[in-house]
Amino acid sequence: MLVAPSILSADFGILAKEVIDICEAGADLVHVDVMDGHFVPNMTIGPLVVKAVSEVATKPLDIHLMVEDNSFFVELFAPLKPRYISFHYESEKHHHRVIQKIREYGISPAIVINPATPVSFLQEVVKYVDMVLLMSVNPGFGGQKFIPIYDKIKELKELLQKHNPKCLIEVDGGVSDKNIHALKEAGVDIAVAGSYIFGHKDYKAAIESLKV
Ligand code: DX5
Ligand code: ZN
């Protein structure tokens, strides 16, 4: 299991130190949650702060857009050269256009669905993305209760086996040592965890407990 700590739960007063610490503690990716106050009822950070994060991070960035205007935000964040930019299926009318735009910057495109969105909606786009992110909470906040989406993970795995076997599966929301084994079993490749890791006094131990 690859582990992507979500810096949404970091101490923003010492953000640079937090990013350096999780990278040293064994993070595989640095998960950055970008919210616009429209698609989700919260706002987080923009390109200035994410640029500062990218300058201290020793692991690639995994940018999760929770916004209405995906093309606009892709243009803001692509120059920071993250490994992934993911955008929500629910917020976009022109999915292939956004995927192509991300790819043109040399970045891996990823698509995200909310807990209530069926996996079958992804049928026409999975072959064009490098990762699918399944939300296991409704996006907007850290520290929410995990929604058991195990059947969706298995269904996605089958869809990917047919159309894009190299595509990775990421899960985000309420991930901890309590559900990580079941997530692995269901077929997850990358676990995002915010409050579980940053709420732990030993980041290395917390990250290791998720590397199953
Ligand atoms: C929620 C974000 C998540 C969040 C996860 O909208 O996408 O990345 O930070 O936080 P936890 O792990 O605390 O649920
Ligand atoms: Zn996220």
Side-chain angles (χ1 to χ4, degrees):
M1 183 74 79
L2 298 174
V3 178
S6 161
I7 58 168
L8 189 58
S9 291
D11 179 345
F12 274 67
I14 50 162
L15 186 56
K17 182 182 183 306
E18 294 272 68
V19 171
I20 292 165
D21 286 352
I22 48 146
C23 290
E24 279 176 3
D28 297 291
L29 294 159
V30 177
H31 185 82
V32 178
D33 291 300
V34 174
M35 306 183 188
D36 66 352
H38 294 279
F39 178 63
V40 289
N42 196 7
M43 291 173 79
T44 53
I45 52 179
L48 272 181
V49 176
V50 181
K51 182 166 186 284
V53 168
S54 74
E55 282 164 1
V56 294
T58 52
K59 300 294 165 61
L61 301 192
D62 170 28
I63 296 185
H64 175 192
L65 299 179
M66 285 156 274
V67 302
E68 281 184 354
D69 192 343
N70 292 297
S71 291
F72 171 74
F73 280 84
V74 167
E75 277 163 25
L76 283 185
F77 289 98
L80 303 177
K81 296 275 166 237
R83 168 79 49 86
Y84 296 103
I85 294 182
S86 57
F87 67 97
H88 273 258
Y89 179 86
E90 300 87 354
S91 73
E92 186 53 54
K93 292 192 194 98
H94 309 289
H95 301 90
H96 295 87
R97 180 177 292 154
V98 176
I99 290 168
Q100 260 165 23
K101 189 188 273 269
I102 297 170
R103 188 88 64 203
E104 276 162 17
Y105 281 102
I107 296 163
S108 282
I111 194 144
V112 195
I113 54 172
N114 282 338
T117 303
V119 166
S120 59
F121 284 21
L122 298 174
Q123 170 116 15
E124 301 304 323
V125 292
V126 282
K127 56 171 144 335
Y128 303 103
V129 295
D130 292 347
M131 177 173 86
V132 174
L133 168 51
L134 296 179
M135 291 305 298
S136 40
V137 298
N138 284 286
F141 305 93
Q144 302 181 81
K145 191 169 178 278
F146 178 79
I147 298 168
I149 52 155
Y150 301 112
D151 291 344
K152 286 179 74 177
I153 299 166
K154 289 178 195 152
E155 197 186 333
L156 175 61
K157 191 94 198 158
E158 280 169 26
L159 186 69
L160 294 177
Q161 256 145 21
K162 239 188 260 161
H163 299 288
N164 187 358
K166 283 199 194 133
C167 182
L168 299 182
I169 302 179
E170 183 176 56
V171 165
D172 182 5
V175 172
S176 73
D177 58 345
K178 304 273 183 299
N179 47 33
I180 196 73
H181 290 277
L183 289 169
K184 172 83 187 179
E185 183 93 341
V188 175
D189 303 291
I190 308 175
V192 176
S195 53
Y196 174 70
I197 293 172
F198 286 99
H200 212 286
K201 57 183 184 315
D202 183 346
Y203 294 169
K204 193 165 193 273
I207 290 172
E208 263 164 29
S209 73
L210 300 179
K211 294 212 170 185
V212 294

